[in-house]
């Protein structure tokens, strides 16, 4: 029977695993989460997440330092990887894989897990690793390239280190980075590189109505000029349907 593939769909996925603390120990998958995304509209078409019980429950901590972390009690009654392997295979195989640091971590762990149960691992039609992509295109203006730092930079909340939450955060981070890079590519002389000399200005937090310090990607005194440049860009966009569509999408992200 021919296996159906979806080469033009993107699947963002993330794994939560144990962390080896002794020589010879291996990573054990504790949770898998994925969303399938339409690359044209960035719409979430499907989602799936499951906790996974490792063969040896003793490798899972009894407690977690995170409020919603994965503990031994949470995975005790979870399915094994073998139980959910067919579902995971169907989500991943033949699609474009996307995630943060997936080339060096998640892709390797998936192949190991399928090899352990004696099944062929899924294959991607392409890979988008946002760690490498953003390191090259966006730079370290957010500090480091960890998902938590990028999310904090854009005010997207705190990374929960749960698979489904993290892949959705990953997509939102990419949307925000793409919007910034779009503006910079349109007005390179005015916007590009301003983040390198970023300064802190006072902004009002909508969550608690307190004044907070936030690093902004422009130098002091340039906010008015930047605002005018963006207004000029929007004015030039009149009549350009493709540009108008992208700006409309960008505006929805920045509200």
């Amino acid at each position: 029977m021919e296996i159906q593939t979806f080469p033009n769909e993107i699947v963002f996925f993330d794994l939560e695993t144990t962390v080896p603390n002794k020589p010879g120990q291996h990573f054990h998958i504790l949770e898998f989460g994925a969303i399938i995304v339409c690359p044209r509209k960035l719409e979430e078409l499907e989602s799936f997440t499951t906790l996974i019980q490792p063969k040896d429950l003793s490798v899972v901590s009894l407690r977690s330092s995170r409020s919603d972390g994965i503990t031994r009690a949470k995975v005790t009654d979870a399915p094994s990887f073998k139980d959910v392997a067919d579902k995971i295979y169907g989500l991943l195989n033949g699609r474009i894989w996307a995630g943060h640091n997936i080339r060096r971590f998640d892709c390797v762990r998936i192949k190991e897990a399928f090899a352990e149960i004696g099944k062929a691992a899924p294959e991607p039609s392409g890979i988008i690793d946002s760690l490498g992509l953003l390191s090259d295109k966006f730079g370290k203006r957010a500090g480091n390239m960890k998902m938590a730092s990028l999310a904090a930079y854009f005010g997207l909340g705190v990374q929960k280190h749960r698979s489904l939450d993290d892949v959705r955060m990953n997509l939102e981070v990419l949307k925000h980075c793409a919007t910034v890079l779009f503006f910079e590519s349109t007005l390179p002389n005015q916007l590009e590189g301003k983040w390198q000399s970023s300064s802190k200005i006072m902004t009002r937090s909508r969550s608690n109505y307190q004044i907070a310090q936030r690093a902004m990607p422009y130098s002091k005194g340039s906010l008015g000029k930047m605002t005018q440049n963006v207004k000029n860009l929007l004015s030039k966009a009149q009549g350009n349907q493709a540009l108008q569509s992208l700006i409309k999408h960008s505006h929805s992200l920045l509200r």
Side-chain angles (χ1 to χ4, degrees):
M1 182 178 67
E2 184 178 354
I3 299 176
Q4 189 176 10
T5 59
F6 306 86
N8 296 322
E9 289 182 350
I10 302 174
V11 54
F12 282 80
F13 75 97
D14 177 70
L15 303 175
E16 294 299 322
T17 71
T18 59
V19 179
N21 53 24
K22 295 180 182 179
Q25 286 187 337
H26 301 286
F27 291 94
H28 298 270
I29 297 176
L30 302 179
E31 188 176 46
F32 172 91
I35 58 173
I36 296 174
V37 175
C38 169
R40 294 180 297 280
K41 297 183 178 181
L42 302 182
E43 292 178 336
E44 184 178 317
L45 304 176
E46 183 181 345
S47 67
F48 174 75
T49 186
T50 181
L51 289 167
I52 294 173
Q53 180 190 130
K55 287 183 177 180
D56 181 4
L57 280 172
S58 68
V59 301
V60 188
S61 300
L62 291 170
R63 299 178 183 86
S64 173
S65 59
R66 303 186 181 103
S67 60
D68 195 30
I70 300 173
T71 61
R72 188 179 302 176
K74 287 187 176 181
V75 299
T76 297
D77 296 323
S80 67
F81 185 82
K82 187 174 183 179
D83 293 332
V84 295
D86 288 344
K87 176 65 176 180
I88 293 174
Y89 186 94
L91 287 167
L92 297 180
N93 192 55
R95 287 188 169 96
I96 299 168
W97 294 4
H100 204 66
N101 195 33
I102 60 170
R103 284 188 182 274
R104 291 189 297 179
F105 188 79
D106 302 79
C107 294
V108 177
R109 305 285 87 79
I110 282 292
K111 290 182 178 179
E112 289 175 349
F114 274 92
E116 187 176 343
I117 62 173
K119 289 190 174 184
E123 294 292 340
S125 62
I127 296 177
I128 301 172
D129 191 325
S130 57
L131 175 60
L133 178 65
L134 296 181
S135 296
D136 179 48
K137 301 296 183 182
F138 194 72
K140 294 187 176 180
R141 65 186 84 188
N144 57 41
M145 299 309 297
K146 292 182 178 180
M147 182 56 58
S149 300
L150 290 163
Y153 179 80
F154 287 112
L156 296 175
V158 178
Q159 184 183 8
K160 295 183 178 180
H161 293 281
R162 295 300 299 267
S163 295
L164 195 58
D165 292 314
D166 285 1
V167 292
R168 286 175 173 153
M169 176 174 278
N170 195 172
L171 177 58
E172 290 305 310
V173 163
L174 282 172
K175 288 179 182 178
H176 281 67
C177 289
T179 301
V180 172
L181 293 172
F182 165 73
F183 282 129
E184 290 180 351
S185 67
T186 307
L187 294 169
N189 294 331
Q190 287 84 356
L191 300 180
E192 198 171 71
K194 296 296 182 182
W195 61 271
Q196 294 177 345
S197 58
S198 64
S199 59
K200 290 184 177 180
I201 67 171
M202 300 298 288
T203 61
R204 187 173 297 277
S205 170
R206 291 183 295 177
S207 61
N208 56 15
Y209 297 97
Q210 294 179 349
I211 300 298
Q213 291 279 350
R214 181 178 297 178
M216 302 300 286
Y218 42 78
S219 57
K220 291 182 178 179
S222 65
L223 180 57
K225 182 178 179 181
M226 181 180 293
T227 301
Q228 186 59 48
N229 287 334
V230 173
K231 286 181 179 179
N232 293 337
L233 168 64
L234 297 176
S235 178
K236 292 177 183 179
Q238 299 296 328
N240 186 322
Q241 186 175 359
L243 190 56
Q244 282 281 47
S245 177
L246 182 53
I247 290 175
K248 182 179 179 181
H249 174 64
S250 300
H251 176 71
S252 69
L253 295 176
L254 298 172
R255 283 184 297 183

